[in-house]
Structures are given as structure tokens and as C-alpha cells.
Amino acid sequence: MELYLNGALIGLRPEAEDVEDAFRELLNGDEGRMLLRRGMRSSLEVLRGEDGSFCVSLEKGDALYGVVMHEALAGEVAKALVEFLAGATPRLVDASHYAYEADCPLCAAMAAQEAKANSSMN
């Protein structure tokens, strides 16, 4: 596992404390980039924008998943980094963190699909 902060390699075998410290440093800056890389096709990258939001990207094999998160969800971003470090695949989107617009057809379709998926799990 490699840990990068703003393009500089800062750890080859980082511990959870190293990741948390690097994330705090990212939070204290205006903009920045943090990357945890596990091999060639497995990484979790966090970009912090000038508005304080986070763009979180998970690369897993041939797939790339991403989400933009408000700065108020910094704790969730930190949690995802530690989960990835531990070998887990972090869940980047929690339904409690977003809401669908009532007049958006795409949002309505996504909400219906999510409701269907949730009902099949119960």
C-alpha cells in the first residue's frame, strides 16, 4: 500500500494513524489530493476542492466509482480511507447523505430503483 499527499509519496506501508494524519493535513489546506494505492488497479483518491468539498474516487479493477461529498461529511471520507487501508471496499454513498429532487425524472427513477433494491433485501 502506498500513501501519497499532493503527489508526494509519504508512506509505503502506512498505518491508520498515518492516513488520519495525512487527511487532517488535507483538511487544513485550501485544495489538495490524497491517494491510497494498493497495486496497479486498486486505489482510493480524495481531491479537496477550493470550496471544501471532496471528490472521492475508488478504482477497483477495470471500474472507477466516484462521488462528490460536502465538507460536512469529512468524517465519512476519513472513514472510507481507513476502511480501504484495512482491505475493505468502502461504501462511498449512504442514502442518508443525499435526497432526490421531487420534480427530477432521473431522480424519481433512481429512488424507485433504490426502493426496489431495499425491499428485495428485507
Side-chain angles (χ1 to χ4, degrees):
M1 182 78 67
E2 299 168 349
L3 173 61
Y4 295 86
L5 183 61
N6 295 321
L9 176 66
I10 62 171
L12 287 174
R13 290 181 180 28
E15 300 289 330
E17 297 81 27
D18 301 321
V19 171
E20 291 164 353
D21 290 345
F23 186 70
R24 272 192 292 279
E25 191 172 326
L26 184 68
L27 281 175
N28 292 330
D30 292 330
E31 296 179 2
R33 175 178 178 249
M34 184 174 170
L35 175 72
L36 275 173
R37 178 170 299 286
R38 183 186 314 123
M40 290 300 295
R41 292 183 172 237
S42 182
S43 66
L44 185 65
E45 179 178 38
V46 177
L47 301 172
R48 181 175 165 100
E50 63 184 32
D51 64 351
S53 65
F54 302 96
C55 178
V56 183
S57 303
L58 173 67
E59 177 187 18
K60 202 167 178 183
D62 291 333
L64 181 65
Y65 308 92
V67 64
V68 176
M69 299 178 80
H70 188 273
E71 66 182 321
L73 297 172
E76 295 298 317
V77 177
K79 180 179 163 187
L81 286 161
V82 172
E83 287 175 351
F84 185 79
L85 178 68
T89 300
R91 182 179 170 125
L92 296 174
V93 179
D94 182 334
S96 68
H97 297 161
Y98 61 90
Y100 294 112
E101 298 292 326
D103 60 347
C104 168
L106 178 59
C107 294
M110 289 170 57
Q113 183 65 31
E114 184 177 311
K116 182 179 175 183
N118 287 340
S119 69
S120 68
M121 286 189 218
N122 297 330

